[in-house]
Structures are given as C-alpha cells and as structure tokens.
Amino acid sequence: MKTQKLKNRWLIAASAVGIHISIGSVYAYSVMTNPVKDIFDVDGSVIKWAFKIAILLLGLSAAFLGRWVEKVGPRVSGTTAGLFYGIGILGSGLAVQLESLTLFYLCYGVIGGIGLGLGYITPVSTLVKWFPDRRGLATGMAIMGFGFAALIFGPVMQSLFDAVGVSNAFYILGAIYMILILSSARYIERPPEGYLPEGFKPGEGKKIKADISNISANESLRTPRFYYIWIMMFINIACGIAIISAASPMMQEKLNYTPMEAAAIVGLIGVFNGLGRIMWSSLSDYLGRANTYIIFFAFQILAFFLLPKISMELVFLVVLFTVITMYGGGFATLPAFLGDLFGTKQLGAIHGMVLAAWGLAGVVGPTIYDVVKNATGSLDNTLEVFAGLFVIALIISLLMKRSVVKAYKKIDKSLEFA
C-alpha cells in the first residue's frame, strides 16, 4: 500500500498566514469609509455599520460553526471561507455600483462576516496539531497575519480607489482575496493521526507536555477553565479595543499632538498589534500560557492607571505600544492555551465559542469608555475603570494558574503509577 507523502508543516503554516492576511484586510476598513460614504452620500458612521456587522458575524459564525469546521476539516471550511469572503467583497462592489446601502450591509457585513469567522478559526486547530512542540509560535504566525493585513492592504485599497474607482476596486480586491484563500485552503490539511515532528518522537530529544484534557466543546462548557479564559479574553479585548478607538484624541489631549501626528501613531499601533501576536505567543511556549496572561494583566493594571498621568512623550508611547502588543498577544496565545487546556479533539469549536467574547467586547469596551468619559470629563477616571477591570482579570488568571498547576500535578502523579 502506497503511503501518502507527508506535507511540509511550515508550508501549512504559510497557508494559514495566507488565509489570515486576506481576511485581516477587514482592519483596513477605515481606508474605504470616506470613498464609500461619498458614493452613498451618508455620514461615515452609517458606513461603519457594515464593519460592526462584519465583526459581530465573525464572532457568531466562529461560535456556531466551530463544530462544523472540525467535522469537515480545514480544506472544506477554508474553501467555504474563501467563497463567502470573496463573494462578500465582490458583492460590495456591486452594491456600490447600484448605490444600494442595504446590499452593502448584506454583502460586506453578513456574507463577508461569515467568511471572516470561518477563515479565522479554520487554520488554528490544524496548526496546533502540526506544531505540538511550538504551538504558540505556529498560531502566532497565522494570527500575526491578521494583525498585519491592514498595513499591506490599506495602501493597496487606496491605490485602487484612486486608479480604477470604488466599485472596480472592490471587484479586484474580492478576486485577490478569493484566489489567495482558495489557494491556501488547497494545501492546508490535518496531520496524520498521532503525528509528532522529527526529533520529537518518544524518547528522542525534547518531550512534549501532555494536554490537561482532550474533550469535546460541550464537555469544555462544564469546566471552570472555559469560563476563566472567556472572562480573561473579554476583559483584555474590551480594554484593548477601547484604548485603540480612543488613541488619537488621547494623544492630542495628553501630548498636544496634531491630528496628523496622532494619525501616524495610530498607524504604528497596527505594527505593534501584529508584532505582539508573534512575540507573546512565541514567548508563551517558554513562559507558560497561564504565566503570559498573568504578565498581561499585572502590567496593564499599572499601565491604564498611570497612562493619563504620564507627560513624557517617550514613556507614554512605550507604555501605550506595550499595551497594544498585549492586546494582540492575547489573541495569538489563546489557541495554544486552549489546546493545552482542552486538547485538539474539538479545538476549532472551543476556539469559536471563546471568540464570541470578541463580538461582545468590541461593543462593550468603547461604550464604557464613551459613557465614563462623557459623565466625568476625565481621562484619568475613565482609564482607572479599565485598570479596575484588569484587577478582575488578574484574579481570574491566578485562579486559572492554580487550576492548571493542580491539573498537571494530577497528570504527573498518574504517570508515576502508570
């Protein structure tokens, strides 16, 4: 019987990056806001609803279609993601051409949003299985692609809008995304059952740490650890999105930046968001996943409390950019942590359920910021509220650490008597 040639796991990782760079272009949405609002002759806030719908559908489709992704495998789900996201962007071009705002919401927000959710979770559980020795690095690479995509596609979008017009730009972008995702999905697949990378076979070289459990999505819902990680992610995302959405006015208020100078720093925020994804997820392979989140929350309690009080430009920016790396790092470290906690049996489904926190946090974080800032008129008081939320997150992360340590002690004891 002919044995199938084993695929290169680094090319599998590159395929995952291809999918995430394509769908991550959603973070360049602000580039298209002005050109699109001028065509529909509406306010920019009206156009931004398509983005909000897309992010909401990302969270919902990740949560509800995670089990389906696990069932059909990454090739089918990746292909489906490419079709949904590509058709969503192509349809957005048609909506602009027909000047139909409803069709634009449907195509970009709903159809594109479903493609986002499927594309986001598709490569994750596959990468964890291919990289049992470097889970953090592997998932960090893919999710870094999502963070960096705006830097790549933002200028491309603007150039296309200027060169060929808005609707034609959408048609070209839709074709590019669809080709890139479909090509990546053709290569990506699960490793053979029981796969271990070269040099990591039993008794050879470094040992791979056992997962705490290997359970289904439904079973994970019956563990305290699922709710610990859900709350930790919700707070990290809510506070991070709030600071990102308020970064420009904050720097104008505290550092007396001009709007143009503040806008340049907002561009750098995208860079540190992407860098944090690969840096922290890779470090988590050595620091331990629970310890990495404890570092995130302990630092951000101090950062959010002190940030409005810092008047030195360099110190302010270092603290701000470090917070942004931890926002991105939280996303990238998550899949590897979920693999440690719940195994790879239904990792995509569990990851999807936790990502529901993203959709909710994206609304709650900026809303808390606006409400408190308007009520108190004080940036100090506003960021102190977020520092308080990080105290809760730190307590939860310490409970998680205790739970993980206990579980590993139990595993070690059972191995001793095996």
Side-chain angles (χ1 to χ4, degrees):
M1 186 177 166
K2 192 179 176 183
T3 56
Q4 190 181 357
K5 190 174 179 248
L6 195 65
K7 287 192 173 179
N8 185 314
R9 64 177 184 157
W10 294 101
L11 290 179
I12 296 279
S15 301
V17 173
I19 293 172
H20 269 240
I21 277 182
S22 303
I23 61 171
S25 61
V26 71
Y27 270 179
Y29 188 84
S30 59
V31 175
M32 66 178 74
T33 303
N34 285 338
V36 173
K37 82 176 174 64
D38 291 342
I39 285 173
F40 287 116
D41 195 23
V42 294
D43 189 70
S45 61
V46 175
I47 295 301
K48 281 176 188 168
W49 270 103
F51 175 77
K52 291 178 184 176
I53 294 167
I55 295 300
L56 178 64
L57 264 292
L58 186 162
L60 290 176
S61 58
F64 289 106
L65 295 175
R67 288 176 177 82
W68 178 78
V69 168
E70 287 292 346
K71 183 180 175 184
V72 299
R75 185 175 293 179
V76 172
S77 63
T79 301
T80 308
L83 292 173
F84 267 89
Y85 193 61
I87 289 168
I89 303 301
L90 292 169
S92 300
L94 181 63
V96 168
Q97 196 171 328
L98 298 175
E99 296 187 23
S100 169
L101 189 57
T102 305
L103 184 62
F104 187 75
Y105 286 158
L106 174 66
C107 291
Y108 193 95
V110 178
I111 298 173
I114 293 169
L116 280 174
L118 284 173
Y120 194 92
I121 62 174
T122 281
V124 169
S125 64
T126 304
L127 280 179
V128 168
K129 288 165 189 166
W130 277 103
F131 289 84
D133 53 325
R134 299 182 187 180
R135 282 180 173 176
L137 171 67
T139 56
M141 280 191 297
I143 294 172
M144 176 188 68
F146 194 91
F148 273 139
L151 290 173
I152 298 165
F153 281 109
V156 171
M157 280 180 194
Q158 192 58 59
S159 301
L160 286 172
F161 289 147
D162 295 339
V164 298
V166 179
S167 60
N168 287 333
F170 275 112
Y171 294 143
I172 293 168
L173 288 167
I176 291 170
Y177 299 147
M178 193 182 288
I179 291 166
L180 194 49
I181 298 173
L182 293 180
S183 303
S184 299
R186 276 192 64 79
Y187 191 80
I188 199 166
E189 66 177 34
R190 293 172 180 143
E193 198 66 39
Y195 166 80
L196 286 173
E198 197 65 36
F200 289 84
K201 302 251 189 292
E204 297 176 19
K206 178 182 169 186
K207 288 183 181 175
I208 297 167
K209 200 169 188 181
D211 297 330
I212 288 172
S213 59
N214 193 31
I215 57 178
S216 69
N218 285 341
E219 288 169 325
S220 74
L221 290 172
R222 295 196 284 271
T223 69
R225 293 183 199 110
F226 177 88
Y227 300 97
Y228 289 160
I229 195 72
W230 202 99
I231 295 167
M232 286 158 58
M233 286 303 299
F234 174 80
I235 292 174
N236 200 54
I237 296 167
C239 299
I241 284 180
I243 205 96
I244 287 170
S245 66
S248 177
M250 189 195 308
M251 284 179 288
Q252 291 175 57
E253 180 182 328
K254 286 295 168 185
L255 301 179
N256 297 317
Y257 275 18
T258 65
M260 187 59 73
E261 287 170 334
I265 298 298
V266 169
L268 279 176
I269 281 173
V271 176
F272 283 94
N273 185 357
L275 287 175
R277 290 168 189 245
I278 187 69
M279 181 185 79
W280 285 110
S281 59
S282 299
L283 279 174
S284 76
D285 286 334
Y286 303 96
L287 297 172
R289 248 64 83 173
N291 292 337
T292 302
Y293 281 95
I294 289 169
I295 292 167
F296 288 170
F297 302 140
F299 178 85
Q300 288 181 100
I301 289 169
L302 294 172
F304 275 73
F305 184 76
L306 295 174
L307 204 55
K309 300 171 177 62
I310 298 170
S311 55
M312 283 179 63
E313 182 183 21
L314 181 61
V315 178
F316 185 96
L317 292 177
V318 166
V319 172
L320 175 67
F321 290 146
T322 304
V323 166
I324 297 303
T325 68
M326 291 175 172
Y327 168 75
F331 280 111
T333 307
L334 173 65
F337 200 9
L338 293 175
D340 297 345
L341 297 173
F342 306 114
T344 57
K345 187 176 182 179
Q346 288 194 337
L347 180 58
I350 297 168
H351 187 214
M353 292 191 301
V354 176
L355 286 181
W358 189 357
L360 189 59
V363 177
V364 171
T367 303
I368 290 174
Y369 183 96
D370 292 339
V371 168
V372 179
K373 183 79 161 58
N374 292 337
T376 64
S378 165
L379 184 63
D380 295 51
N381 292 344
T382 307
L383 294 189
E384 280 168 11
V385 170
F386 289 113
L389 285 174
F390 276 121
V391 171
I392 296 169
L394 179 60
I395 292 167
I396 298 289
S397 67
L398 290 169
L399 289 173
M400 173 69 92
K401 170 72 175 176
R402 189 178 73 170
S403 173
V404 167
V405 168
K406 271 186 178 176
Y408 276 123
K409 277 183 182 172
K410 204 171 176 182
I411 290 170
D412 291 341
K413 198 171 279 185
S414 67
L415 288 174
E416 280 176 30
F417 293 104

